[in-house]
Amino acid sequence: MHAKHFIGNRHVNPHGGLNIAVIDPSDGKPYAEIARGNPHDIDLAIQTARAAFEGEWGRMPAAERGRLLHRLSLAITERVEEFTQIEARDCGKPLKQARADAIAVARYFEFYAGACDKLHGETIPYQAGYTVLTLREPFGVTGHIIPWNYPLQIFGRSIGGSLAAGNACVVKPAEDACLSLLRLAELAAEVGFPVGAINIVTGYGNEAGTALVAHPGIDHVSFTGSPAIGKLVAQVAANNHVPVTLELGGKSPQIVFADADLELALPVLINAIVQNAGQTCSAGSRVLIERSIYERAMDKLADAFERLRVGPAQMDLDCGPLIRQQQQQRVWDFLSDAHADGIAVMAQGTIVPDAPESGFYQAPTLLRDVPFDHRLAQQEVFGPVLAAMPFDDEAQAIKLANGTQFGLVAGVWTENGARQMRMARAVRAGQVFINNYGAGGGIELPFGGVKASGHGREKGFEALYGFATLKTVAIRHG
Ligand code: NAD
C-alpha cells in the first residue's frame, strides 16, 4: 500500500517523491508507505485551506456545517470495522481498543455537529447611547499536529472542534500512525465536505511539522505530543504571534484512600495503565495508596498484573505492542534504572508465545515503593509500567500528587464526601475523577493540562472557545 497526502479532496504525491515506510508494531515489519511531506507540500495544503476558508467552506451557514459533520459521523459509524482494522494494525492496538477509538471519533463529530450553530457571542450593557456585542469568529486556517497513540480520537477532538468553529484545517499526523486519518479525510470528501476544508500532509515532525508551525499562513496551532516538542512548537509559533493549544504529557496519580471501594477501583487502576500499552497521555502511571491498606492493595494489584496477557493486535488481548523499537528501548531503559536503584518489580504480565519476536512487546510491570523523587515516579515512561508508593495522610497524598512537573489528570478513590471535595480542589490537574478514571472517554468533558502538561482545552464545548477568536463590536448610536 502506498498512501499519498490528502489535499483539496485529492490524493497528492509529495513534492520530490520521497516516502516513509510504515511498520506494523505487532511484527516489526514494514507493510505500507506514506508520503514524506516537506515545506512545499505544507504550503500547498495551507493555500488550499485558505481558499476553502475564503470560499465555499467559509461562507457555509453554521447549521449546514453541522449537517456535514453529522453526515461524517454517520459514515464513520457505518465503517467502524474498517477503521478498527486500520487503527489496530497501524498503532498495534488490541481490536477492542481500536474499535473504541473508531466509535469515539464518530461521537466527536456527532457532538461537534450539534455545536456548530450554538457558538454565539453576547451583548454587553454599556454606556447610554451604545450597543456592544461580541462575535465569536473562526481564526481562518488552523494547523493540527497529532501523535501516534490515538490518531482517530485526537483527530475527532481537535479537527472536529476546529471545523465546528468554522476554520479550515491542515493536519500533520505522526509518521508512525496516520493511515486511519487519510481514510477519514477521504470519507469527509465523499460525504460532501468542500475542497480544502480538511487537508492532510504526512511526514516527519522536524520536516513537515516544523514547516506547518512556521508557515505565516497558519492562524492557530493545536499541538498534541511530548512536552519537549510542545515547547519548541510554541516558540516557533510565537514568531508569527500565533496562538497555540498544547496537549502534552502526564504522570497522572491515582490516589487510593483506606476507605476506598477497592473492588471498584482495581480494574480501573489496571486499565488506566494497560490501555494502549500505557502509551496514553492520561495514563494513571502512579498509584498512591494509604499505608494502612498498602500491602493488601498491592497484593490485589499484583494478582491482577500477573493475569494480564500481551500479544498482537489481532489477538485482542489485554495489551498490544509498543509503537516502535525506540519506544520499547525507552521502557527497557526506565526498567533497568529501576533495577539498578533497587526498586522491586512486584508483578508482571505475560507476553504470549504466539507474539512474534520481531514485535515491540513489553509485559505490564508493577513496581513497588518507588521513591517519590525517582525518575520512575517523576517522568513519563509511556509504557505499561505502574509506579506504586504509600502515603500516610491526606496532606502527604496532595504533596505527592502535585509533586511532578505535570498536571493532566488525577483519580481519587475515597468514600468520604468532604475529602472528595477537598481533593478535587487541592490536586493540580486539568481533570480530576472521583471514584472513576476518565469517565469512559468523556467527549463532552473539557480536557487539557496545567504546568508541563500544557494549556488550552480540547473536547467538550469549551474547545470551541479555543478555536474561535472573540471580536467586540461597540456601536454608538446616541
Ligand atoms: P512527539 O512530540 O514526538 O510527536 C508528536 C507529533 O509532533 C508528531 O506528529 C511528530 O511528527 C510531531 N513533531 C515532532 N517534532 C516536531 C517539530 N519539531 N515541529 C513540529 N512537529 C513535530 O510525541 P509522541 O512521542 O509522538 O507522542 C507521545 C507524547 O504525546 C507523550 O508525551 C504523550 O503524553 C503526549 N500526548 C498528549 C496527549 C494529550 O492530549 N495531552 C495525547 C496524546 C499524547
Side-chain angles (χ1 to χ4, degrees), residues 145-146 148-149 157 172 175 205 224-226 247-249 281 380:
I145 296 189
I146 294 188
W148 43 263
N149 58 347
R157 78 181 194 204
K172 207 300 282 172
E175 53 274 32
T224 307
S226 59
E247 298 277 5
L248 309 177
C281 54
E380 195 176 30

Side-chain angles (χ1 to χ4, degrees), residues 356-442:
E357 274 187 25
S358 49
F360 310 131
Y361 298 98
Q362 168 62 45
T365 303
L366 175 64
L367 301 174
R368 62 168 293 152
D369 308 338
V370 178
F372 161 68
D373 54 357
H374 195 276
R375 193 171 164 231
L376 261 303
Q378 289 290 327
Q379 295 175 19
E380 195 176 30
V381 176
F382 231 51
V385 178
L386 181 58
M389 63 197 80
F391 66 85
D392 290 308
D393 55 23
E394 196 175 307
Q396 194 191 13
I398 294 166
K399 197 166 167 223
L400 294 177
N402 290 342
T404 73
Q405 61 172 324
F406 297 111
L408 194 56
V409 173
V412 179
W413 298 86
T414 176
E415 295 292 296
N416 179 327
R419 178 186 282 149
Q420 291 172 359
M421 295 307 296
R422 285 194 302 271
M423 291 299 290
R425 288 178 182 274
V427 174
R428 289 203 67 202
Q431 289 188 326
V432 178
F433 295 101
I434 311 285
N435 292 337
N436 79 96
Y437 196 75

Side-chain angles (χ1 to χ4, degrees), residues 76-246:
I76 298 167
T77 304
E78 283 166 14
R79 292 164 182 79
V80 161
E81 280 316 303
E82 180 189 349
F83 281 106
T84 299
Q85 291 297 336
I86 300 174
E87 198 78 330
R89 184 158 200 200
D90 217 13
C91 306
K93 286 173 194 271
L95 292 170
K96 53 183 157 314
Q97 171 72 63
R99 192 169 295 117
D101 292 0
I103 292 167
V105 69
R107 174 74 188 114
Y108 275 113
F109 278 97
E110 182 184 47
F111 178 86
Y112 286 116
C116 285
D117 57 359
K118 294 163 192 74
L119 179 66
H120 51 70
E122 297 173 321
T123 55
I124 300 173
Y126 196 56
Q127 296 170 19
Y130 281 83
T131 295
V132 179
L133 52 107
T134 58
L135 305 173
R136 292 194 188 273
E137 299 180 329
F139 282 100
V141 177
T142 53
H144 304 257
I145 296 189
I146 294 188
W148 43 263
N149 58 347
Y150 288 86
L152 281 175
Q153 287 222 35
I154 294 172
F155 186 95
R157 78 181 194 204
S158 187
I159 285 74
S162 181
L163 292 171
N167 301 290
C169 301
V170 178
V171 184
K172 207 300 282 172
E175 53 274 32
D176 293 295
C178 57
L179 296 175
S180 60
L181 303 192
L182 290 165
R183 177 67 188 116
L184 204 50
E186 191 184 62
L187 191 59
E190 284 166 28
V191 303
F193 271 80
V195 168
I198 304 172
N199 307 278
I200 303 208
V201 176
T202 56
Y204 292 120
N206 59 8
E207 199 169 12
T210 314
L212 174 64
V213 178
H215 198 290
I218 284 289
D219 302 309
H220 179 283
V221 172
S222 161
F223 173 83
T224 307
S226 59
I229 303 291
K231 191 186 278 188
L232 215 64
V233 162
Q235 285 164 349
V236 174
N239 290 332
N240 296 330
H241 305 289
V242 166
V244 178
T245 300
L246 294 180

